[in-house]
Amino acid sequence: MCHGCDPGATALARILTSNLNLNKDVSNLIQPDVVESENDPVDGQSTIFYNGSIITMAEGTFSPVEALAIKGASITAAGRLQDVRSLAGDTATMVDLNGQCILPGFVEPHLHLFLSALTIDYLVPLKPWKITKRSDVLAILKKEVDKVVNDSNKPGPKWVAAYGYDPSLVECHYELDACILDGVSTAVGIFVLNQSGHIAYVNHRAFEIAGVKDDDSTPGLVKHDGKLTGKLLETPAILRVAKHIPQPDEDTVKRHCAEKLGEWSSKGCTTVFDAGIGSVNLFDDVIMLAKVTDNPEHPLPLRFVAALTEMMTDFPLPDMTTIGNQTPPFRIGNAKAQALKFWADGSTQGFTAALNEPYYTKPEDCGKLLLDTEQLQGQMSKWMKKGWQLSIHANGDRAVDQSLECYEAVFNQLPDRKKDIMHRIEHFTVSNTAQVEKAASLGLGVSHTIGHVYYWGATFQKWVLGPERAARIDPIKDDVHKELVYSFHSDSPLTEPDPLLFVRTAVTRLKYDSKEVLGDAQRVTLEEALRG
């Protein structure tokens, strides 16, 4: 769902949030990061948990303890019950777990808050793994049309906008078109964004509202015998229609962001990392991030860390400097900004990731790199020198090759760089053992979209990569063997943050709604999965 792998979704989100009329007073927006001392006094009553499975994952192993004490938001003691009670005091509240399990809070290391928030009320999420037939999506859209038709509070032309339709997962790989969507409604504009983000489908009512006629020359409006088919290819054509979809107001966006943050917290996430602030609405993303994370009506329920797009370094500050002049990490509202994000390629299941060998069902196509190596290396060197953590989106093995080459070159250029920063490769979907070993030797971290295994495993086998390459996507066992630091992420809204499902998938490599294993050799132990 990153900008590089889903530009259509990003463009659509930009349209839906382009007229928020945000108060652009940034006088208190950017602040130095404050490191909280572990010795700071903690107010409140101590609570001791005991008689359960208390897993600490200290030093990367289960490291179970008999009891755990907390005070306020801090863990104050862990170990034998007798010792914990002595440290916490006689007034501590005792909680008998009765065999239940306590795990450390999970870090969700790659998601997109603003795109995710738009799936509440505005974009109907068509979870592709739940849609096995084209008729499934038509039934969902019909239900949404009925809601809109019966809603008298929405003035003007009525719309249903949805995203996530994925022909690669649909029986016979059927696509949509205007005539098929007319069967859902001819009175309501229907807009469906393909999961890849490069394609959208609309009905004739949507064309009518947008003023698009058969003679429209916008690139990407697919026609047959001179007539619009309802298929839109790439951003210009997608935006030609999408800009007419009604937009939410600022309060609604803030409320929906708070709802998403609450959902993620309820799943056990104590820290989330937004991998692309600036990719939706440029500078307004920074302002909205401050408003959402410093919102008295909805206090932030978890830690929020952000990677910015490079363009955000030009964000102007009141002292006539820019974000690029700040020393990271620093605060945007209550979010911690510490990284810059770059894109080397696109989406594997969208056939835009850069591969060394062609796609299984497209023997002429290997995808493409988004930046030439010299350009990427120059950008990385500039910002690593200033103390930023760097994060590169690389799904395909050719993009991984480029990323590793650039990291190695920049590390050699900057022997005095900050060594306590772990730079990252995002997704690392298609790779070989030598690349895993190289990433480990460079001291990088990788983060896998583990939903590729669970939700798209069968499609990768039969449609995208073929059985052999599909079996080693997200090669976590290789990560373990080569001592490469790894993590699992959702890329929300691509999939929902669900840390325990991610752990289960890493252990079993089971595909969705199936007992089939994808790549048995890459299965890991429960302890190894929790380490990620």
Side-chain angles (χ1 to χ4, degrees), residues 409-427:
V410 174
F411 286 172
N412 289 335
Q413 289 173 8
L414 303 174
D416 297 326
R417 69 187 184 280
K418 294 180 69 174
K419 302 291 202 314
D420 59 341
I421 295 175
M422 178 173 288
H423 302 283
R424 296 171 43 168
I425 297 179
E426 307 299 312
H427 309 302

Side-chain angles (χ1 to χ4, degrees), residues 79 86 132 171 205 215-216 226 238 310 316 323 330 351 453 487:
S86 176
T132 58
E171 189 177 280
R205 175 58 177 156
D215 61 356
D216 194 302
I238 291 171
E310 187 183 24
I323 278 182
F330 52 86
F351 295 92
V453 174
S487 63

Side-chain angles (χ1 to χ4, degrees), residues 135-154:
S135 58
D136 296 339
V137 72
L138 299 180
I140 293 171
L141 293 173
K142 183 65 170 67
K143 188 178 294 185
E144 294 300 321
V145 164
D146 291 342
K147 291 180 187 177
V148 169
V149 168
N150 294 324
D151 186 354
S152 59
N153 295 321
K154 292 184 178 180

Side-chain angles (χ1 to χ4, degrees), residues 1-3 5 107-113 116 264 271-276 305 307 341-343 391-395 424-427 447-449 487-497 502:
M1 186 54 64
C2 296
H3 170 70
C5 62
V107 175
E108 170 38 273
H110 185 128
L111 46 67
H112 303 276
L113 174 60
S116 300
W264 299 339
T271 300
V272 298
F273 185 95
D274 193 303
V305 186
K341 177 76 174 294
F342 299 93
W343 284 265
S391 171
I392 304 178
H393 165 117
N395 265 307
R424 296 171 43 168
I425 297 179
E426 307 299 312
H427 309 302
S447 190
H448 299 289
T449 316
S487 63
F488 316 131
H489 67 258
S490 65
D491 204 5
S492 178
L494 181 68
T495 69
E496 281 298 311
F502 300 165

Side-chain angles (χ1 to χ4, degrees), residues 279-291:
S279 61
V280 173
N281 239 333
L282 306 177
F283 288 174
D284 279 356
D285 276 11
V286 176
I287 298 167
M288 181 57 77
L289 180 63
K291 289 174 175 285

Side-chain angles (χ1 to χ4, degrees), residues 126-137:
L126 303 173
K127 300 297 185 184
W129 47 91
K130 293 185 178 181
I131 297 172
T132 58
K133 298 179 181 178
R134 186 167 60 183
S135 58
D136 296 339
V137 72

